Amino acid sequence: MQTEKHSSESRMEISRRDLLKTIGIGAVGIALGAVGSLAAPGVRSYLGGIASANDNISFYGAHQPGITTKNPKHVYFVSLNCEVKSRSELKELFQSWTEDSVRLMNGEVMPNSPNTLLPPYDTGEAVGLNAARLTLTFGVGPSLFEKPELGLSSRKPPELKDLPHFPRDQLDPKYVGGDICIQACADDPQVAFHAVRNLIRNARGKVTMRWSQAGFNSYPVRDGKEETPRNLFAFKDGTGNPNVDSPEEMNRFVWVQPGESADWLAGGTYMVVRRIQMFLETWDRTALSEQEATIGRHRDSGAPLGKTGEFDDMELDRKDENGNPIVPVDSHVYLAKQANERILRRSFSYVGGINPETGAFDAGLLFISFQKHPQQFINIQNSLGRLDRLNEYITHRGSALFACFPGVEKGSYLGAALLG
């Protein structure tokens, strides 16, 4: 029923710009209506500002959006419990979300019902805003396949299982796992939140929220080009990423290839999510030289220690005049590179107020990475282990793993190869 409702309503969708044009006419009507007979029933006076439905990213493609989309500024991530009782209901849910996602990423809103006694179809807080390069990325967790009523256990990829416990993990059950996840990225935080809010609202009774986290990134601009963002420790984050413009690198490190996992996941990827608390006050009392030795890079340039360019080769075997390694063997970068793995990092900083027990900032990193096999991340994290100097300044509080569907072609829907 929900899908049928969306099908009929989707034909009525209008862009936020079109809606504003309509409202502009309506506003005149309201003004005249105060003294005359041109009032427009149902027109809302809260709509205003300048909007455009440009700056949108297509939902369709060989891979889901929001994985290689460059330089996202804001994220709203949510992990969900799945409450549907059958595979057909789950299929309807993703069909409905497919329609919703196309509309939301196009910057469209649902027109209000002529019956003002009913709640509006769209929550409305994105009216007047452009599409803001919104992307929506969906994944399914290992627990979804363990629900007998869904009949998916035989289709669970063997590598889709909860991440192991890593040294120094102090996970909070409030930030662990999930049956389904939605990652909404946009250049406007309100657009990202609006998308998730409306997706969940339209799936009422089918999903419940488990945990969520908002995050942000800022990109320095030099010579008209956006550079690598910095995390809250002020170091650049993502320098070693594979080139998202290289199909060869993406196929090698990120996209699951046919025969490498479950057939329905070909063209998809695995998404690791870690909520990492950063002890900013401790870091801020640390000398710059020690900060750089902890990371293994110069803070301002992002270059490997002893070098000047951010993307210079690390060359871990370099020694100083006394024969000591220039990049400390217990630095974060040195240990991570020992794993000889590559992943696509798309992390965001977060701030969550103040820890009432310590009076310190509740802040850190929403670490998100995409890789074709979870073992890539596991190998890196195991290499860091207890030796990583950075352990003094961080603690992992949240953890989850999801399999992200391949992209959707027009006429199809999210998860079609799994649920069809």
Side-chain angles (χ1 to χ4, degrees), residues 19-33 38-41 43-44:
L19 180 58
L20 279 182
K21 289 178 179 176
T22 302
I23 297 309
I25 296 170
V28 175
I30 290 174
L32 292 173
L38 297 180
V43 170
R44 304 301 181 103

Side-chain angles (χ1 to χ4, degrees), residues 162-184:
D162 292 335
L163 293 171
H165 179 85
F166 296 107
R168 309 297 294 268
D169 270 4
Q170 296 187 59
L171 301 184
D172 185 333
K174 292 187 301 185
Y175 302 111
V176 172
D179 298 327
I180 300 171
C181 78
I182 305 173
Q183 175 197 252

Side-chain angles (χ1 to χ4, degrees), residues 166-169 231 233 235-241 274 276-278 283 289-298 302-305 314 316 325-341 343 345 347 365 367-369 376-396:
F166 296 107
R168 309 297 294 268
D169 270 4
N231 57 37
F233 284 165
F235 280 76
K236 297 191 174 188
D237 196 309
T239 297
N241 273 344
R274 305 280 284 182
I276 303 173
Q277 182 180 0
M278 301 167 76
W283 185 258
S289 58
E290 176 60 22
Q291 292 180 357
E292 294 184 332
T294 297
I295 300 298
R297 291 183 179 276
H298 293 294
L305 289 182
M314 184 62 67
L316 294 176
I326 292 178
V327 180
V329 297
D330 57 354
S331 66
H332 189 72
V333 167
Y334 186 99
L335 292 169
K337 286 195 170 293
Q338 297 305 303
N340 196 28
E341 300 278 10
I343 56 178
R345 295 174 61 120
S347 299
L365 190 74
F367 173 95
I368 296 175
S369 69
Q376 294 166 255
F377 169 80
I378 293 170
N379 288 345
I380 293 173
Q381 199 62 28
N382 279 333
S383 181
L384 295 171
R386 296 184 180 279
L387 300 178
D388 187 4
R389 279 197 194 192
L390 196 57
N391 287 337
E392 182 180 350
Y393 306 98
I394 63 171
T395 293
H396 289 236

Side-chain angles (χ1 to χ4, degrees), residues 51-358:
S52 62
N54 56 15
D55 212 9
N56 62 305
I57 293 173
S58 174
F59 174 77
Y60 297 109
H63 311 289
Q64 284 198 67
I67 298 171
T68 60
T69 310
K70 295 179 181 177
N71 301 343
K73 294 181 179 176
H74 298 275
V75 67
Y76 194 85
F77 171 86
V78 64
S79 175
L80 304 169
N81 298 314
C82 180
E83 307 292 349
V84 302
K85 301 304 181 185
S86 69
R87 187 163 161 177
S88 61
E89 273 190 283
L90 185 62
K91 177 179 175 180
E92 288 180 2
L93 172 64
F94 278 107
Q95 288 175 324
S96 174
W97 274 349
T98 300
E99 289 191 12
D100 289 339
S101 298
V102 172
R103 171 176 55 80
L104 289 164
M105 286 178 56
N106 281 340
E108 298 169 344
V109 297
M110 301 288 285
N112 289 333
S113 167
N115 184 350
T116 57
L117 298 178
L118 295 175
Y121 294 142
D122 191 292
T123 56
E125 71 270 32
V127 171
L129 305 176
N130 65 26
R133 298 198 312 131
L134 172 69
T135 59
L136 293 165
T137 313
F138 296 79
V140 290
S143 55
L144 184 75
F145 294 82
E146 296 164 4
K147 295 177 178 291
E149 65 270 27
L150 301 182
L152 293 173
S153 59
S154 64
R155 309 214 66 186
K156 180 181 177 182
E159 60 272 20
L160 180 59
K161 52 189 177 185
D162 292 335
L163 293 171
H165 179 85
F166 296 107
R168 309 297 294 268
D169 270 4
Q170 296 187 59
L171 301 184
D172 185 333
K174 292 187 301 185
Y175 302 111
V176 172
D179 298 327
I180 300 171
C181 78
I182 305 173
Q183 175 197 252
C185 296
D187 290 341
D188 186 315
Q190 189 149 314
V191 169
F193 179 78
H194 166 264
V196 172
R197 179 184 178 187
N198 279 268
L199 289 168
I200 294 175
R201 180 177 185 255
N202 294 342
R204 184 172 299 147
K206 298 180 179 178
V207 296
T208 55
M209 289 186 285
R210 187 182 180 102
W211 62 281
S212 70
Q213 183 63 61
F216 58 88
N217 267 328
S218 291
Y219 298 87
V221 177
R222 178 176 297 180
D223 298 328
K225 181 181 179 182
E226 289 186 320
E227 299 185 330
T228 310
R230 297 181 186 275
N231 57 37
L232 295 182
F233 284 165
F235 280 76
K236 297 191 174 188
D237 196 309
T239 297
N241 273 344
N243 181 4
V244 298
D245 293 325
S246 167
E248 187 277 332
E249 288 196 25
M250 295 304 292
N251 289 338
R252 183 179 175 190
F253 300 115
V254 177
W255 305 130
V256 176
Q257 301 299 296
E260 292 183 335
S261 182
D263 56 355
W264 59 266
L265 194 52
T269 186
Y270 283 98
M271 178 186 194
V272 168
V273 183
R274 305 280 284 182
R275 189 178 191 270
I276 303 173
Q277 182 180 0
M278 301 167 76
F279 304 124
L280 302 185
E281 289 83 356
T282 305
W283 185 258
D284 292 345
R285 294 194 296 268
T286 303
L288 177 60
S289 58
E290 176 60 22
Q291 292 180 357
E292 294 184 332
T294 297
I295 300 298
R297 291 183 179 276
H298 293 294
R299 188 189 73 168
D300 292 348
S301 66
L305 289 182
K307 296 198 173 187
T308 57
E310 177 186 353
F311 300 101
D312 288 350
D313 194 329
M314 184 62 67
E315 294 182 304
L316 294 176
D317 57 351
R318 288 177 294 134
K319 303 287 179 56
D320 62 19
E321 62 276 11
N322 298 317
N324 299 314
I326 292 178
V327 180
V329 297
D330 57 354
S331 66
H332 189 72
V333 167
Y334 186 99
L335 292 169
K337 286 195 170 293
Q338 297 305 303
N340 196 28
E341 300 278 10
R342 296 187 73 185
I343 56 178
L344 177 62
R345 295 174 61 120
R346 275 173 62 97
S347 299
F348 298 83
S349 298
Y350 75 83
V351 290
I354 300 171
N355 184 324
E357 297 179 356
T358 64

